[in-house]
Amino acid sequence: NIRELFDVKLFLRTSYKTAKTRREARSGYVTLEGFWEDPPGYVDKVVWPNYVEDHAFLFKNGDVEEAVDGPACESLGIRVMPQSGEENMTKCLEWAYAVVEEALDDI
């Protein structure tokens, strides 16, 4: 499991609405292969189903739109971003920085 290779594990949760809004607001981006633009329906057909499949185990009853399963995340050593960071990338970054800084201080 690749998760075991990380010293600090952060989970930056999102909602369907936020993921769709952010992804569809992008005009595209540069990749190693060239410029990528999401095809129509990409969020609904690819992005969101993969998010749900990959992260359901972190949520109560596997529902990614509901509460995070705190004990499950804690047992895996996963720190979960406060919900206030979901809509505010500055708060998200500040939280993540503080977690990493704390881990470095513990070394």
Side-chain angles (χ1 to χ4, degrees):
N1 188 331
I2 194 167
R3 205 171 33 250
E4 301 307 315
L5 299 174
F6 293 94
D7 294 324
V8 179
K9 301 171 189 116
L10 306 177
F11 178 53
L12 311 177
R13 75 175 292 180
T14 192
S15 66
Y16 169 79
K17 179 184 173 203
T18 300
K20 187 168 177 79
T21 299
R22 285 184 182 157
R23 190 76 188 217
E24 291 182 349
R26 297 178 189 164
S27 59
Y29 43 93
V30 177
T31 70
L32 291 174
E33 292 81 27
F35 190 76
W36 168 264
E37 290 182 81
D38 290 349
Y42 191 70
V43 171
D44 293 320
K45 294 176 186 170
V46 177
V47 174
W48 191 250
N50 280 290
Y51 177 85
V52 170
E53 181 179 335
D54 293 342
H55 299 97
F57 74 100
L58 298 173
F59 293 84
K60 292 179 182 175
N61 301 317
D63 186 344
V64 300
E65 292 285 359
E66 295 298 327
V68 171
D69 185 339
C73 293
E74 193 172 315
S75 72
L76 295 168
I78 297 172
R79 301 282 299 268
V80 179
M81 175 187 71
Q83 197 139 13
S84 63
E86 184 181 326
E87 297 293 329
N88 185 316
M89 290 306 292
T90 300
K91 286 183 181 180
C92 174
L93 182 59
E94 288 170 345
W95 168 79
Y97 179 85
V99 171
V100 171
E101 184 176 44
E102 177 186 308
L104 290 171
D105 287 344
D106 291 343
I107 292 177

XYZ file of all heavy atoms in Angstrom:
864
model
N 0.838 -1.185 0.000
C 0.000 0.000 0.000
C 0.881 1.245 0.000
O 1.708 1.426 0.892
C -0.911 -0.047 1.230
C -1.941 1.029 1.243
O -1.753 2.113 0.705
N -3.051 0.740 1.873
N 0.706 2.075 -0.967
C 1.535 3.279 -1.108
C 1.372 4.232 0.071
O 2.299 4.950 0.437
C 1.247 3.999 -2.441
C 2.348 5.021 -2.718
C -0.133 4.636 -2.435
C 2.332 5.564 -4.121
N 0.213 4.226 0.696
C -0.057 5.117 1.827
C 0.964 4.923 2.946
O 1.333 5.861 3.635
C -1.478 4.855 2.330
C -2.117 5.981 3.032
C -3.592 5.769 3.338
N -4.017 4.413 3.631
C -4.770 3.675 2.824
N -5.203 4.147 1.684
N -5.132 2.456 3.167
N 1.439 3.712 3.102
C 2.387 3.403 4.174
C 3.752 4.045 3.951
O 4.559 4.129 4.878
C 2.537 1.889 4.317
C 1.236 1.176 4.636
C 0.513 1.759 5.840
O 1.165 2.029 6.860
O -0.713 1.958 5.750
N 4.044 4.491 2.745
C 5.337 5.095 2.446
C 5.445 6.556 2.885
O 6.531 7.113 2.914
C 5.619 4.998 0.945
C 5.690 3.581 0.368
C 5.831 3.635 -1.140
C 6.819 2.790 1.002
N 4.322 7.175 3.234
C 4.310 8.593 3.581
C 4.424 8.797 5.084
O 3.774 8.111 5.870
C 3.027 9.260 3.077
C 2.942 9.323 1.578
C 2.291 8.334 0.865
C 3.535 10.366 0.888
C 2.225 8.383 -0.515
C 3.474 10.423 -0.490
C 2.822 9.433 -1.195
N 5.246 9.761 5.469
C 5.386 10.117 6.880
C 4.211 10.963 7.348
O 3.794 10.876 8.498
C 6.682 10.896 7.117
C 7.908 10.052 6.855
O 7.877 8.842 7.160
O 8.891 10.589 6.327
N 3.708 11.814 6.474
C 2.570 12.681 6.793
C 1.488 12.392 5.757
O 1.731 12.454 4.559
C 2.965 14.182 6.738
C 1.766 15.065 7.039
C 4.107 14.483 7.689
N 0.303 12.058 6.255
C -0.813 11.732 5.359
C -1.909 12.767 5.552
O -2.478 12.885 6.635
C -1.344 10.333 5.672
C -0.297 9.262 5.523
C -0.792 7.942 6.053
C 0.342 6.957 6.098
N 0.673 6.536 7.421
N -2.198 13.510 4.490
C -3.216 14.546 4.528
C -4.362 14.166 3.604
O -4.126 13.708 2.485
C -2.644 15.891 4.062
C -1.401 16.400 4.769
C -0.944 17.702 4.133
C -1.660 16.576 6.240
N -5.567 14.381 4.060
C -6.733 14.174 3.207
C -7.424 15.515 3.014
O -7.934 16.105 3.951
C -7.704 13.159 3.821
C -8.934 12.965 2.987
C -8.837 12.642 1.642
C -10.190 13.110 3.533
C -9.972 12.469 0.857
C -11.331 12.942 2.764
C -11.213 12.625 1.422
N -7.396 15.989 1.780
C -8.035 17.245 1.418
C -9.378 16.906 0.786
O -9.466 16.666 -0.408
C -7.152 18.035 0.439
C -5.683 18.181 0.839
C -4.909 18.918 -0.228
C -5.553 18.855 2.183
N -10.396 16.870 1.611
C -11.699 16.438 1.122
C -12.350 17.509 0.264
O -11.985 18.675 0.317
C -12.615 16.044 2.271
C -13.171 17.213 3.061
C -14.149 16.774 4.105
N -15.363 16.250 3.502
C -16.395 15.799 4.175
N -16.373 15.799 5.496
N -17.459 15.351 3.573
N -13.309 17.075 -0.534
C -14.086 17.998 -1.346
C -15.489 17.447 -1.509
O -15.744 16.269 -1.259
C -13.420 18.245 -2.714
O -14.052 19.359 -3.358
C -13.490 17.019 -3.611
N -16.367 18.300 -1.924
C -17.730 17.868 -2.233
C -17.858 17.759 -3.750
O -17.026 18.284 -4.498
C -18.738 18.897 -1.712
O -18.604 20.116 -2.424
N -18.902 17.098 -4.181
C -19.162 17.001 -5.617
C -19.279 18.393 -6.223
O -18.665 18.689 -7.249
C -20.440 16.196 -5.865
C -20.909 16.280 -7.289
C -20.307 15.519 -8.283
C -21.950 17.133 -7.653
C -20.720 15.609 -9.605
C -22.376 17.219 -8.967
C -21.754 16.459 -9.935
O -22.166 16.553 -11.240
N -20.030 19.258 -5.567
C -20.248 20.609 -6.089
C -18.924 21.360 -6.253
O -18.669 21.968 -7.297
C -21.175 21.384 -5.152
C -21.431 22.801 -5.588
C -22.273 23.551 -4.566
C -22.351 25.018 -4.981
N -22.634 25.882 -3.877
N -18.078 21.297 -5.239
C -16.792 21.997 -5.304
C -15.899 21.400 -6.380
O -15.285 22.133 -7.169
C -16.087 21.957 -3.935
O -16.920 22.599 -2.973
C -14.742 22.646 -3.979
N -15.816 20.089 -6.435
C -14.975 19.434 -7.439
C -15.436 19.792 -8.848
O -14.628 20.124 -9.717
C -15.002 17.918 -7.247
N -16.728 19.733 -9.070
C -17.266 20.027 -10.400
C -17.040 21.490 -10.768
O -16.592 21.795 -11.877
C -18.753 19.683 -10.449
C -19.358 19.800 -11.850
C -20.723 19.178 -11.881
C -21.399 19.330 -13.215
N -20.929 18.374 -14.222
N -17.307 22.389 -9.832
C -17.137 23.824 -10.094
C -15.683 24.145 -10.416
O -15.399 24.844 -11.394
C -17.612 24.653 -8.881
O -18.994 24.377 -8.666
C -17.410 26.135 -9.106
N -14.767 23.651 -9.604
C -13.348 23.950 -9.832
C -12.847 23.335 -11.131
O -12.131 23.970 -11.892
C -12.508 23.432 -8.663
C -12.635 24.273 -7.432
C -11.709 23.780 -6.347
N -11.867 24.580 -5.149
C -11.564 24.171 -3.943
N -11.092 22.954 -3.760
N -11.738 24.959 -2.910
N -13.203 22.092 -11.359
C -12.694 21.407 -12.550
C -13.235 22.046 -13.825
O -12.493 22.237 -14.790
C -13.089 19.935 -12.478
C -12.433 19.056 -13.500
C -11.005 18.774 -13.112
N -10.320 18.089 -14.188
C -9.421 17.144 -13.993
N -9.089 16.773 -12.793
N -8.819 16.587 -15.010
N -14.505 22.386 -13.825
C -15.096 22.953 -15.026
C -14.713 24.412 -15.234
O -14.868 24.941 -16.328
C -16.607 22.758 -15.004
C -16.951 21.279 -15.179
C -18.434 20.984 -15.207
O -19.244 21.870 -14.884
O -18.773 19.831 -15.546
N -14.181 25.064 -14.195
C -13.731 26.444 -14.336
C -12.369 26.515 -15.036
O -11.982 27.564 -15.550
C -13.640 27.122 -12.967
N -11.661 25.412 -15.081
C -10.361 25.373 -15.749
C -10.556 25.328 -17.257
O -11.401 24.603 -17.760
C -9.579 24.120 -15.358
C -9.236 24.024 -13.931
C -8.509 22.718 -13.686
N -8.348 22.491 -12.262
C -8.032 21.333 -11.738
N -7.848 20.277 -12.505
N -7.910 21.203 -10.439
N -9.714 26.063 -17.957
C -9.789 25.977 -19.412
C -8.922 24.837 -19.920
O -8.998 24.470 -21.091
C -9.335 27.301 -20.038
O -8.009 27.599 -19.642
N -8.116 24.294 -19.046
C -7.213 23.212 -19.404
C -5.872 23.477 -18.756
O -5.698 24.468 -18.049
N -4.928 22.581 -18.992
C -3.609 22.776 -18.426
C -2.583 21.971 -19.212
O -2.907 21.055 -19.955
C -3.566 22.423 -16.939
C -4.289 21.164 -16.561
C -3.638 19.952 -16.502
C -5.652 21.190 -16.270
C -4.301 18.798 -16.162
C -6.327 20.033 -15.922
C -5.639 18.848 -15.864
O -6.315 17.711 -15.526
N -1.331 22.360 -19.032
C -0.232 21.738 -19.750
C 0.188 20.456 -19.027
O 0.313 20.433 -17.809
C 0.969 22.711 -19.844
C 2.156 22.049 -20.530
C 0.564 23.979 -20.579
N 0.374 19.398 -19.799
C 0.873 18.132 -19.285
C 2.139 17.773 -20.053
O 2.520 18.492 -20.990
C -0.165 17.003 -19.470
O -0.257 16.711 -20.873
C -1.522 17.383 -18.916
N 2.773 16.676 -19.697
C 3.958 16.238 -20.431
C 3.635 15.928 -21.891
O 4.474 16.067 -22.761
C 4.568 15.001 -19.771
C 5.208 15.219 -18.406
C 5.645 13.890 -17.809
C 6.380 16.166 -18.511
N 2.406 15.512 -22.140
C 1.994 15.147 -23.497
C 1.477 16.336 -24.304
O 1.221 16.213 -25.483
C 0.911 14.065 -23.456
C 1.392 12.724 -22.949
C 1.456 12.657 -21.430
O 0.701 13.387 -20.751
O 2.272 11.883 -20.915
N 1.267 17.473 -23.656
C 0.726 18.643 -24.359
C -0.344 19.318 -23.524
O -0.365 19.213 -22.302
N -1.261 19.985 -24.169
C -2.322 20.712 -23.475
C -3.536 19.806 -23.321
O -3.978 19.178 -24.282
C -2.701 21.970 -24.264
C -3.596 22.896 -23.513
C -3.096 23.703 -22.502
C -4.950 22.951 -23.796
C -3.922 24.560 -21.793
C -5.789 23.797 -23.091
C -5.277 24.604 -22.093
N -4.066 19.720 -22.108
C -5.215 18.862 -21.826
C -6.433 19.711 -21.519
O -6.374 20.624 -20.711
C -4.930 17.952 -20.634
C -6.152 17.262 -20.109
C -6.946 17.662 -19.072
C -6.751 16.067 -20.600
N -7.989 16.784 -18.879
C -7.893 15.793 -19.819
C -6.438 15.200 -21.638
C -8.707 14.690 -20.032
C -7.256 14.095 -21.845
C -8.364 13.854 -21.051
N -7.531 19.378 -22.167
C -8.829 19.956 -21.838
C -9.767 18.808 -21.517
O -9.810 17.824 -22.254
C -9.383 20.757 -23.013
C -8.627 22.034 -23.295
C -9.241 22.816 -24.444
O -10.237 23.522 -24.204
O -8.735 22.682 -25.569
N -10.499 18.935 -20.413
C -11.449 17.884 -20.061
C -12.516 17.761 -21.131
O -13.104 18.760 -21.538
C -12.146 18.209 -18.734
C -11.228 18.096 -17.531
O -10.104 17.578 -17.673
O -11.650 18.520 -16.449
N -12.790 16.547 -21.576
C -13.903 16.368 -22.512
C -15.229 16.575 -21.773
O -15.282 16.504 -20.545
C -13.748 14.929 -22.988
C -12.850 14.264 -22.025
C -12.067 15.315 -21.326
N -16.301 16.830 -22.492
C -17.614 17.010 -21.854
C -17.963 15.804 -20.976
O -17.733 14.654 -21.352
C -18.575 17.120 -23.044
C -17.726 17.584 -24.184
C -16.369 16.975 -23.945
N -18.493 16.085 -19.790
C -18.914 15.028 -18.880
C -17.788 14.374 -18.105
O -18.016 13.401 -17.374
N -16.573 14.879 -18.208
C -15.413 14.249 -17.583
C -15.530 14.163 -16.061
O -15.181 13.153 -15.468
C -14.147 15.012 -17.978
C -12.864 14.322 -17.628
C -12.465 13.174 -18.310
C -12.028 14.817 -16.634
C -11.267 12.536 -18.005
C -10.832 14.188 -16.324
C -10.465 13.053 -17.014
O -9.283 12.428 -16.704
N -16.040 15.209 -15.433
C -16.190 15.188 -13.974
C -17.154 14.078 -13.571
O -16.871 13.278 -12.673
C -16.666 16.552 -13.430
C -17.029 16.455 -11.955
C -15.603 17.608 -13.654
N -18.293 14.021 -14.226
C -19.319 13.043 -13.867
C -18.951 11.611 -14.248
O -19.338 10.668 -13.564
C -20.653 13.420 -14.502
C -21.218 14.700 -13.912
O -21.121 14.886 -12.681
O -21.745 15.522 -14.678
N -18.197 11.447 -15.315
C -17.867 10.104 -15.788
C -16.550 9.568 -15.235
O -16.383 8.346 -15.122
C -17.789 10.097 -17.318
C -19.110 10.352 -17.993
C -18.952 10.431 -19.494
C -20.248 10.835 -20.164
N -20.056 11.148 -21.585
N -15.615 10.464 -14.891
C -14.282 10.007 -14.491
C -13.861 10.548 -13.124
O -13.577 9.780 -12.209
C -13.227 10.398 -15.559
C -11.827 9.998 -15.124
C -13.571 9.789 -16.904
N -13.814 11.869 -12.986
C -13.259 12.478 -11.779
C -14.031 12.074 -10.528
O -13.451 11.537 -9.576
C -13.205 14.019 -11.908
C -12.761 14.667 -10.607
C -12.287 14.426 -13.051
N -15.331 12.342 -10.510
C -16.097 12.072 -9.302
C -16.220 10.583 -8.978
O -16.009 10.183 -7.836
C -17.466 12.752 -9.339
C -18.113 12.685 -7.994
C -19.194 11.948 -7.637
C -17.681 13.343 -6.799
N -19.475 12.109 -6.297
C -18.550 12.970 -5.763
C -16.634 14.214 -6.500
C -18.414 13.427 -4.454
C -16.498 14.678 -5.207
C -17.389 14.282 -4.199
N -16.521 9.718 -9.951
C -16.589 8.286 -9.609
C -15.272 7.752 -9.031
O -15.280 6.923 -8.128
C -16.921 7.610 -10.944
C -17.611 8.662 -11.731
C -16.960 9.958 -11.330
N -14.143 8.246 -9.520
C -12.854 7.801 -8.982
C -12.616 8.344 -7.584
O -12.058 7.645 -6.730
C -11.713 8.182 -9.928
C -11.611 7.209 -11.072
O -11.220 6.068 -10.900
N -12.003 7.655 -12.256
N -13.017 9.570 -7.329
C -12.903 10.141 -5.976
C -13.714 9.290 -4.996
O -13.231 8.921 -3.937
C -13.393 11.585 -5.973
C -13.378 12.237 -4.607
C -12.224 12.839 -4.113
C -14.519 12.252 -3.812
C -12.208 13.433 -2.859
C -14.508 12.845 -2.558
C -13.350 13.433 -2.088
O -13.343 14.015 -0.848
N -14.948 8.979 -5.375
C -15.825 8.172 -4.512
C -15.200 6.804 -4.260
O -15.094 6.360 -3.112
C -17.234 8.035 -5.137
C -18.067 7.016 -4.381
C -17.931 9.393 -5.172
N -14.758 6.136 -5.311
C -14.187 4.792 -5.176
C -12.927 4.800 -4.304
O -12.739 3.921 -3.457
C -13.846 4.233 -6.557
C -13.271 2.836 -6.519
C -12.957 2.291 -7.900
O -13.568 2.731 -8.884
O -12.081 1.408 -7.980
N -12.083 5.793 -4.499
C -10.804 5.837 -3.796
C -10.898 6.329 -2.357
O -9.980 6.087 -1.566
C -9.808 6.721 -4.550
C -9.398 6.134 -5.889
O -9.594 4.918 -6.100
O -8.887 6.889 -6.727
N -11.979 7.035 -1.995
C -12.039 7.645 -0.673
C -13.225 7.225 0.191
O -13.311 7.644 1.343
C -12.023 9.172 -0.811
C -10.781 9.667 -1.457
N -10.720 9.950 -2.804
C -9.550 9.896 -0.963
C -9.497 10.342 -3.094
N -8.758 10.315 -2.008
N -14.097 6.406 -0.308
C -15.292 6.014 0.450
C -14.930 5.409 1.809
O -15.635 5.634 2.797
C -16.141 5.027 -0.353
N -13.833 4.683 1.902
C -13.454 4.033 3.157
C -13.129 5.036 4.268
O -13.060 4.670 5.430
C -12.268 3.085 2.941
C -10.948 3.774 2.735
C -10.048 3.883 3.788
C -10.601 4.310 1.497
C -8.821 4.510 3.615
C -9.383 4.934 1.318
C -8.494 5.041 2.378
N -12.936 6.312 3.916
C -12.631 7.344 4.911
C -13.882 7.992 5.498
O -13.781 8.837 6.386
C -11.754 8.432 4.286
C -10.385 7.992 3.784
C -9.700 9.130 3.048
C -9.534 7.487 4.927
N -15.056 7.605 5.002
C -16.308 8.237 5.405
C -17.240 7.244 6.069
O -17.248 6.058 5.729
C -17.005 8.853 4.182
C -16.259 10.004 3.593
C -15.226 9.806 2.694
C -16.586 11.304 3.952
C -14.530 10.876 2.154
C -15.897 12.381 3.413
C -14.870 12.167 2.521
N -18.045 7.763 6.980
C -19.058 6.930 7.622
C -19.999 6.391 6.553
O -20.443 7.124 5.676
C -19.837 7.751 8.648
C -18.982 8.156 9.826
C -19.748 8.990 10.813
C -18.813 9.400 11.944
N -19.456 10.305 12.897
N -20.247 5.118 6.608
C -21.125 4.424 5.650
C -20.659 4.568 4.206
O -21.443 4.374 3.284
C -22.569 4.903 5.792
C -23.111 4.666 7.179
O -22.895 3.607 7.766
N -23.793 5.652 7.736
N -19.406 4.946 3.981
C -18.871 5.045 2.628
C -19.430 6.179 1.803
O -19.226 6.219 0.593
N -20.135 7.112 2.438
C -20.774 8.218 1.720
C -19.882 9.452 1.776
O -19.800 10.127 2.796
C -22.139 8.525 2.346
C -22.924 9.563 1.568
O -22.347 10.287 0.727
O -24.144 9.673 1.808
N -19.213 9.773 0.666
C -18.240 10.865 0.633
C -18.849 12.255 0.801
O -18.127 13.230 0.953
C -17.371 10.831 -0.643
C -16.593 9.527 -0.730
C -18.198 11.059 -1.886
N -20.155 12.342 0.781
C -20.817 13.631 1.005
C -21.211 13.806 2.471
O -21.733 14.831 2.863
C -22.056 13.775 0.112
C -21.747 13.895 -1.364
C -21.200 15.250 -1.789
O -21.048 16.163 -0.952
O -20.908 15.396 -2.986
N -20.934 12.796 3.286
C -21.289 12.839 4.706
C -20.044 13.028 5.563
O -18.992 13.392 5.061
C -22.040 11.560 5.089
C -23.380 11.430 4.379
C -24.370 12.542 4.705
O -24.365 13.055 5.832
O -25.145 12.908 3.806
N -20.153 12.747 6.843
C -19.062 12.958 7.793
C -17.921 11.974 7.571
O -18.129 10.814 7.211
C -19.586 12.822 9.219
N -16.717 12.468 7.807
C -15.533 11.625 7.759
C -15.579 10.669 8.948
O -16.043 11.020 10.028
C -14.271 12.512 7.818
C -13.021 11.671 7.998
C -14.144 13.369 6.577
N -15.091 9.469 8.738
C -15.006 8.485 9.811
C -13.707 8.748 10.576
O -12.630 8.252 10.214
C -15.014 7.073 9.212
C -15.045 5.983 10.262
O -14.664 6.251 11.419
O -15.444 4.864 9.909
N -13.815 9.576 11.618
C -12.649 9.993 12.390
C -11.791 8.848 12.890
O -10.570 8.850 12.690
N -12.388 7.839 13.555
C -11.574 6.723 14.037
C -10.847 5.965 12.910
O -9.699 5.551 13.078
C -12.589 5.822 14.740
C -13.666 6.768 15.182
C -13.755 7.784 14.070
N -11.494 5.796 11.762
C -10.853 5.101 10.639
C -9.653 5.902 10.148
O -8.571 5.344 9.922
C -11.842 4.884 9.500
N -9.824 7.211 9.987
C -8.721 8.063 9.531
C -7.589 8.062 10.552
O -6.415 7.951 10.193
C -9.215 9.486 9.276
S -10.344 9.607 7.878
N -7.950 8.172 11.816
C -6.940 8.204 12.880
C -6.149 6.905 12.921
O -4.923 6.914 13.071
C -7.623 8.454 14.224
C -6.655 8.804 15.318
C -7.367 9.228 16.595
O -8.314 10.023 16.521
O -6.940 8.738 17.665
N -6.835 5.789 12.755
C -6.139 4.496 12.804
C -5.144 4.341 11.651
O -4.172 3.608 11.770
C -7.140 3.340 12.781
O -7.727 3.195 11.507
N -5.398 5.051 10.558
C -4.496 5.013 9.399
C -3.479 6.154 9.426
O -2.658 6.277 8.523
C -5.317 5.096 8.105
C -6.236 3.911 7.846
C -7.207 4.222 6.721
C -5.417 2.667 7.535
N -3.562 7.002 10.444
C -2.638 8.131 10.551
C -2.915 9.223 9.541
O -2.021 9.979 9.171
N -4.167 9.315 9.106
C -4.542 10.313 8.100
C -5.124 11.531 8.793
O -6.077 11.419 9.562
C -5.556 9.727 7.094
C -4.915 8.575 6.334
C -6.055 10.813 6.144
C -5.877 7.801 5.452
N -4.547 12.679 8.520
C -5.050 13.943 9.052
C -6.038 14.503 8.036
O -5.743 14.580 6.840
C -3.897 14.933 9.264
C -2.813 14.443 10.218
C -3.197 14.563 11.675
N -3.447 15.925 12.083
C -2.536 16.741 12.597
N -1.298 16.324 12.785
N -2.860 17.968 12.939
N -7.205 14.894 8.511
C -8.279 15.360 7.626
C -8.408 16.875 7.716
O -8.520 17.431 8.808
C -9.625 14.706 8.001
C -10.740 15.197 7.095
C -9.511 13.188 7.934
N -8.375 17.512 6.572
C -8.525 18.960 6.489
C -9.851 19.377 7.118
O -10.878 18.744 6.869
C -8.507 19.390 5.023
C -8.777 20.860 4.776
S -8.946 21.217 3.010
C -10.525 20.462 2.637
N -9.837 20.436 7.917
C -11.110 20.939 8.452
C -12.024 21.364 7.297
O -11.555 21.802 6.247
C -10.700 22.160 9.278
C -9.244 22.017 9.507
C -8.700 21.204 8.375
N -13.310 21.221 7.500
C -14.261 21.528 6.438
C -14.147 22.979 5.969
O -14.415 23.280 4.812
C -15.688 21.224 6.886
C -16.643 21.139 5.716
C -17.640 20.012 5.869
O -17.782 19.431 6.927
N -18.327 19.696 4.805
N -13.689 23.878 6.838
C -13.539 25.287 6.453
C -12.527 25.465 5.330
O -12.561 26.457 4.611
C -13.129 26.129 7.658
O -11.854 25.707 8.137
N -11.637 24.509 5.146
C -10.647 24.594 4.082
C -11.162 24.193 2.723
O -10.525 24.458 1.711
N -12.332 23.562 2.687
C -12.855 23.075 1.408
C -13.140 24.193 0.418
O -12.857 24.084 -0.756
C -14.125 22.259 1.625
C -14.641 21.651 0.345
C -15.904 20.858 0.549
O -16.065 20.244 1.607
O -16.730 20.846 -0.371
N -13.695 25.254 0.882
C -14.062 26.370 0.004
C -13.015 27.475 -0.023
O -13.183 28.471 -0.696
C -15.402 26.965 0.446
C -16.564 26.007 0.357
C -16.915 25.619 -1.066
O -16.715 26.431 -1.985
O -17.366 24.472 -1.256
N -11.925 27.296 0.741
C -10.948 28.361 0.876
C -9.546 27.764 0.769
O -9.041 27.193 1.733
C -11.149 29.070 2.217
C -10.261 30.264 2.385
O -9.083 30.238 2.085
N -10.840 31.340 2.901
N -8.933 27.900 -0.383
C -7.627 27.288 -0.608
C -6.551 27.862 0.308
O -5.607 27.165 0.668
C -7.218 27.430 -2.073
C -8.059 26.573 -3.016
S -8.123 24.819 -2.567
C -6.456 24.317 -2.875
N -6.680 29.119 0.722
C -5.710 29.695 1.654
C -5.779 28.970 2.990
O -4.750 28.584 3.557
C -5.954 31.207 1.843
O -5.816 31.848 0.569
C -4.974 31.809 2.830
N -6.995 28.751 3.497
C -7.156 28.016 4.756
C -6.647 26.587 4.611
O -6.032 26.045 5.531
C -8.616 28.013 5.200
C -9.087 29.334 5.746
C -10.521 29.248 6.225
C -10.984 30.590 6.753
N -12.352 30.546 7.232
N -6.911 25.981 3.482
C -6.448 24.617 3.223
C -4.922 24.568 3.272
O -4.343 23.715 3.953
C -6.959 24.159 1.855
S -6.332 22.553 1.335
N -4.270 25.477 2.588
C -2.814 25.507 2.553
C -2.232 25.809 3.927
O -1.251 25.188 4.347
C -2.328 26.534 1.532
C -0.817 26.634 1.353
C -0.229 25.306 0.923
C -0.475 27.720 0.349
N -2.837 26.739 4.648
C -2.353 27.069 5.997
C -2.450 25.850 6.920
O -1.536 25.570 7.696
C -3.137 28.244 6.574
C -2.797 29.562 5.917
C -3.722 30.708 6.310
O -4.811 30.457 6.881
O -3.363 31.865 6.031
N -3.552 25.128 6.828
C -3.725 23.926 7.646
C -2.666 22.888 7.281
O -2.002 22.329 8.163
C -5.129 23.347 7.457
C -5.256 21.983 8.046
C -5.424 21.663 9.364
C -5.156 20.734 7.346
N -5.448 20.298 9.518
C -5.284 19.714 8.299
C -4.985 20.405 6.002
C -5.249 18.369 7.948
C -4.945 19.064 5.656
C -5.071 18.058 6.620
N -2.502 22.620 5.987
C -1.544 21.613 5.537
C -0.122 21.989 5.956
O 0.638 21.132 6.425
C -1.626 21.438 4.022
N 0.218 23.250 5.819
C 1.546 23.716 6.220
C 1.765 23.478 7.713
O 2.825 23.008 8.129
C 1.723 25.203 5.880
C 3.060 25.742 6.299
C 4.170 25.610 5.468
C 3.231 26.360 7.533
C 5.408 26.090 5.852
C 4.467 26.834 7.939
C 5.553 26.701 7.093
O 6.774 27.166 7.480
N 0.766 23.796 8.515
C 0.882 23.624 9.968
C 1.084 22.148 10.329
O 1.883 21.828 11.215
C -0.343 24.190 10.669
N 0.380 21.254 9.651
C 0.518 19.818 9.924
C 1.925 19.348 9.564
O 2.573 18.626 10.339
C -0.545 18.994 9.159
C -0.274 17.501 9.274
C -1.939 19.327 9.662
N 2.412 19.762 8.401
C 3.758 19.352 7.982
C 4.812 19.967 8.904
O 5.754 19.299 9.310
C 4.013 19.740 6.505
C 5.464 19.520 6.118
C 3.089 18.950 5.580
N 4.638 21.225 9.264
C 5.574 21.888 10.176
C 5.628 21.151 11.527
O 6.703 20.926 12.091
C 5.169 23.342 10.380
C 6.141 24.129 11.237
C 5.751 25.590 11.346
O 4.546 25.886 11.544
O 6.655 26.435 11.231
N 4.469 20.774 12.024
C 4.409 20.016 13.286
C 5.156 18.700 13.175
O 5.901 18.310 14.081
C 2.934 19.768 13.644
C 2.706 18.946 14.881
C 1.230 18.645 15.069
O 0.408 19.583 15.053
O 0.899 17.446 15.229
N 4.991 18.012 12.049
C 5.687 16.735 11.844
C 7.188 16.945 11.786
O 7.953 16.137 12.326
C 5.183 16.076 10.571
N 7.625 18.023 11.159
C 9.059 18.304 11.088
C 9.630 18.650 12.454
O 10.759 18.276 12.770
C 9.319 19.446 10.094
C 9.096 19.103 8.620
C 9.176 20.350 7.765
C 10.080 18.056 8.146
N 8.851 19.348 13.248
C 9.292 19.692 14.608
C 9.452 18.454 15.467
O 10.268 18.441 16.393
C 8.293 20.649 15.276
C 8.349 22.060 14.712
O 9.344 22.399 14.029
O 7.396 22.821 14.940
N 8.682 17.409 15.166
C 8.737 16.177 15.938
C 9.934 15.297 15.583
O 10.213 14.326 16.275
C 7.442 15.364 15.766
C 6.258 16.033 16.423
O 6.456 16.938 17.272
O 5.113 15.655 16.100
N 10.611 15.647 14.504
C 11.753 14.815 14.050
C 12.970 15.111 14.911
O 13.314 16.149 15.254
C 12.069 15.071 12.566
C 10.925 14.554 11.717
C 13.371 14.404 12.162
C 11.081 14.816 10.236
